[in-house]
Amino acid sequence: MKKCIHITYLISQLQDEKLGFRQRWILRLHILMCHKCRCYKHQLDIIQKNIKHL
Amino acid sequence: MTSPNPNWPHIRQNLLRFAHIQLPNQPDLIEDLVQETLIVAYEKYATFRTQSQLTTWIFGILKNKVKEILRQQQRWQAVFVAEQSENQLDELFSQQFDKNGQWLNDTELTDWLTPQPDAFLQEKQFLQTLQLCLYTLPENTARVFMMREILDFDAREIQQKCGLQANHYHVLMHRARETLRQCLQIKWFNYAGDVS
């Protein structure tokens, strides 16, 4: 399983560009199994959504 | 309709701060842009019901002006190597993981509950906190992050015009998001129970 620390970079990268097929699957599977990374993604999504309202 | 009584010095200060991050070393241009923005705002401010609606609108005017100037420029201010403050942020981030790169057990990550859209005051306070956190970012990091998320430039255009390698760009963006995340956790979500 990919390390969580690397997954956080993929989660951030996903907000800027479309990930490659392999990276997308790595991320999807990891998030399915890792509660903390799932929360991390949820939190970054909230930041991105709200920053537009500033 | 009740018009807000705007805190003009505070608004001006925020506009200057934003413009300075995006156009460093161009103080005269920044002053002109902010002044033009405030003149437009002063003519129309009475049509706004609340200060937050007004500031969002004013900020939108400046955002468009800055964007227009950046669009005209072939190259943007280069992004420098990590400052000491950026290294400290990276250390804080790493401290949340064990030596295998997995989250430490005592690193708490929870589902954030954001204010409901109808909880106007709470939503406004949340956005103010987010803005406060945004201005604590190191300048390099803030500039690139704001170009992407506030000025809405394409990631590739930012990389190209700032002379950034893709890897460096992604490190900067990750650092910005992580710092905002930690800041919001401390300044907002740790107290969320008290606010409702």
Side-chain angles (χ1 to χ4, degrees):
Chain A
M1 191 163 144
K2 194 100 173 159
K3 294 174 178 180
C4 295
I5 196 166
H6 295 147
I7 292 296
T8 66
Y9 282 92
L10 281 185
I11 291 169
S12 170
Q13 197 176 334
L14 180 67
Q15 296 199 336
D16 290 309
E17 62 189 24
K18 200 175 172 204
L19 298 178
F21 180 77
R22 191 166 173 274
Q23 284 179 319
R24 263 200 328 268
W25 270 102
I26 287 172
L27 181 60
R28 201 172 291 179
L29 282 176
H30 186 103
I31 281 179
L32 205 64
M33 292 183 287
C34 175
H35 175 69
K36 287 190 173 176
C37 286
R38 203 159 54 238
C39 284
Y40 190 88
K41 183 176 183 308
H42 170 73
Q43 294 180 356
L44 291 203
D45 288 344
I46 285 176
I47 291 170
Q48 188 176 46
K49 189 179 137 210
N50 281 283
I51 211 102
K52 311 279 181 205
H53 298 302
L54 289 182
Chain B
M1 181 180 288
T2 318
S3 61
N5 187 15
N7 183 347
W8 293 110
H10 178 71
I11 292 172
R12 181 174 176 274
Q13 204 55 42
N14 276 343
L15 295 178
L16 282 171
R17 194 151 41 163
F18 173 74
H20 169 76
I21 289 172
Q22 291 306 321
L23 302 164
N25 309 322
Q26 301 180 68
D28 294 341
L29 177 62
I30 290 170
E31 280 289 345
D32 289 348
L33 287 179
V34 170
Q35 195 167 315
E36 284 170 23
T37 305
L38 287 173
I39 289 169
V40 176
Y42 192 74
E43 286 167 356
K44 298 253 178 84
Y45 83 88
T47 58
F48 287 85
R49 190 181 288 271
T50 64
Q51 166 114 7
S52 68
Q53 281 176 349
L54 174 71
T55 47
T56 304
W57 176 70
I58 295 174
F59 192 65
I61 299 173
L62 180 68
K63 210 160 77 170
N64 286 334
K65 286 179 185 292
V66 170
K67 210 170 164 178
E68 204 180 299
I69 286 171
L70 287 173
R71 280 225 182 281
Q72 290 164 3
Q73 297 175 349
Q74 291 303 308
R75 301 285 298 172
W76 298 338
Q77 172 89 16
V79 174
F80 303 105
V81 287
E83 304 161 11
Q84 197 184 354
S85 55
E86 292 176 326
N87 292 330
Q88 283 168 351
L89 293 173
D90 294 345
E91 270 175 40
L92 273 176
F93 171 65
S94 309
Q95 284 167 10
Q96 300 173 98
F97 299 89
D98 64 20
K99 61 180 179 356
N100 296 318
Q102 309 300 339
W103 293 105
L104 286 169
N105 285 338
D106 57 1
T107 303
E108 271 194 55
L109 279 132
T110 52
D111 283 330
W112 283 353
L113 295 174
T114 49
Q116 297 298 310
D118 57 346
F120 179 72
L121 183 65
Q122 205 183 344
E123 193 188 8
K124 186 182 152 199
Q125 287 169 339
F126 176 72
L127 291 177
Q128 280 172 347
T129 310
L130 180 57
Q131 189 176 43
L132 200 78
C133 290
L134 193 61
Y135 285 125
T136 63
L137 293 176
E139 200 169 313
N140 262 336
T141 309
R143 187 152 58 88
V144 174
F145 181 74
M146 287 179 181
M147 276 177 180
R148 173 75 187 120
E149 297 291 12
I150 293 182
L151 295 177
D152 224 13
F153 280 111
D154 181 70
R156 296 214 172 181
E157 188 176 6
I158 298 170
Q159 291 165 26
Q160 191 196 346
K161 290 196 170 174
C162 290
L164 273 172
Q165 297 287 326
N167 277 352
H168 189 187
Y169 167 84
H170 288 302
V171 167
L172 281 170
M173 292 300 285
H174 178 271
R175 185 184 293 133
R177 290 177 177 126
E178 169 60 16
T179 308
L180 290 177
R181 190 189 74 79
Q182 286 194 31
C183 181
L184 278 176
Q185 182 66 55
I186 293 166
K187 290 190 190 299
W188 181 267
F189 289 100
N190 285 354
Y191 301 101
D194 306 334
V195 179
S196 62

